[in-house]
């Protein structure tokens, strides 16, 4: 484009002021291509106005090309990662839908907890799923993609998602650092405790 513009300007200049340079548009295009691949060129108009215009156009072309190549490099080199969600407040600030397993401890908590604005916001936007749905890949795939944020007990959430993780591949899921609610999720027994078997059966 720069070569065509320079050639057109030289053609207009020759028509107005008379023939000055015996150089054609094709030669200007070739000279521009040489400059873009870092080669020297000897055929260039001596008119300062044409050189200023062509230099400006080529400078813009270099800037746009550098921005484009940089964005492509960043897109290929840096994988897209969303910001991890570490608390219930952060979850509600995003478009991620809180997902809760029916009849779980968090489910009962949010249905019976009437105090506080955070619980009210969760009840307004939460989606409830059965235990079978929460364990399926169709649901957990949407959790991995960021459509749903699963609020569940640690044993259930990690156990369901862990069956779809593969050794040597990046983790598909992120466990929030701040618990939504502190719950008793396991009992600690001393070694060879006589009552452990009875509790396991329950």
């Amino acid at each position: 484009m720069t070569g065509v513009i320079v050639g057109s300007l030289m053609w207009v200049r020759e028509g107005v002021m008379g023939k000055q340079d015996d150089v054609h548009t094709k030669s200007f295009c070739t000279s521009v291509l040489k400059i873009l691949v870092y080669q020297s060129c000897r055929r260039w108009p001596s008119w300062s106005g044409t050189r200023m215009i062509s230099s400006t156009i080529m400078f813009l072309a270099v800037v746009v090309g550098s921005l484009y190549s940089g964005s492509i490099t960043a897109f290929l080199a840096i994988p897209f990662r969303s910001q991890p969600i570490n608390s219930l407040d952060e979850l509600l600030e995003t478009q991620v839908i809180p997902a809760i397993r029916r009849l779980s401890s968090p489910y009962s908590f949010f249905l019976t907890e009437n105090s506080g604005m955070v619980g009210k916001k969760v009840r307004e936007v939460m989606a409830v799923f059965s235990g079978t749905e929460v364990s399926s890949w169709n649901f957990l795939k949407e959790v991995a993609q960021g459509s749903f944020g699963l609020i569940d007990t640690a044993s259930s959430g990690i156990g369901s998602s862990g069956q779809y993780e593969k050794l040597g591949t990046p983790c598909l899921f992120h466990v929030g650092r701040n618990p939504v609610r502190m719950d008793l999720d396991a009992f600690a027994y001393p070694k060879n405790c006589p009552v452990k078997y009875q509790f396991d059966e329950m």
Side-chain angles (χ1 to χ4, degrees):
M1 187 183 71
T2 303
V4 172
I5 292 175
V6 172
S8 301
L9 290 174
M10 292 302 297
W11 180 77
V12 172
R13 185 170 182 265
E14 289 176 2
V16 174
M17 303 179 62
K19 189 173 181 180
Q20 299 292 330
D21 295 314
D22 188 18
V23 181
H24 302 288
T25 303
K26 185 178 180 180
S27 300
F28 292 134
C29 292
T30 305
S31 299
V32 172
L33 291 175
K34 286 183 176 180
I35 292 174
L36 291 178
V37 294
Y38 304 103
Q39 294 183 5
S40 61
C41 62
R42 298 179 181 178
R43 302 177 66 89
W44 202 250
S46 57
W47 180 34
S48 59
T50 307
R51 291 194 175 204
M52 289 178 60
I53 294 172
S54 60
S55 300
T56 303
I57 295 173
M58 282 190 287
F59 177 74
L60 291 175
V62 169
V63 170
V64 172
S66 299
L67 291 174
Y68 178 73
S69 61
S71 64
I72 292 295
T73 303
F75 177 78
L76 294 175
I78 304 174
F80 174 75
R81 297 281 183 182
S82 59
Q83 291 294 326
I85 298 173
N86 288 309
S87 67
L88 189 58
D89 292 321
E90 293 179 4
L91 177 64
L92 294 174
E93 291 175 358
T94 64
Q95 299 297 321
V96 180
I97 301 172
I100 299 179
R101 178 170 54 91
R102 190 181 301 276
L103 302 181
S104 64
S105 176
Y107 175 79
S108 304
F109 171 72
F110 283 111
L111 287 186
T112 57
E113 179 61 37
N114 294 321
S115 62
M117 295 300 296
V118 177
K120 181 180 178 182
K121 289 181 181 179
V122 173
R123 285 192 297 274
E124 291 174 353
V125 298
M126 73 179 187
V128 181
F129 297 89
S130 66
T132 305
E133 290 176 301
V134 167
S135 300
S136 67
W137 171 241
N138 290 331
F139 169 78
L140 290 171
K141 180 172 63 175
E142 296 195 59
V143 174
Q145 293 173 349
S147 300
F148 291 108
L150 179 60
I151 302 175
D152 206 343
T153 56
S155 59
S156 175
I158 295 175
S160 299
S161 60
Q163 59 184 331
Y164 300 105
E165 297 282 7
K166 293 181 180 179
L167 188 64
T169 60
C171 293
L172 299 174
F173 307 96
H174 172 76
V175 181
R177 293 192 181 95
N178 303 323
V180 174
R181 177 185 178 216
M182 295 302 295
D183 230 347
L184 187 61
D185 199 37
F187 287 95
Y189 298 98
K191 188 176 182 180
N192 299 323
C193 179
V195 298
K196 181 178 183 299
Y197 174 77
Q198 287 82 353
F199 275 94
D200 287 344
E201 287 296 317
M202 292 189 297

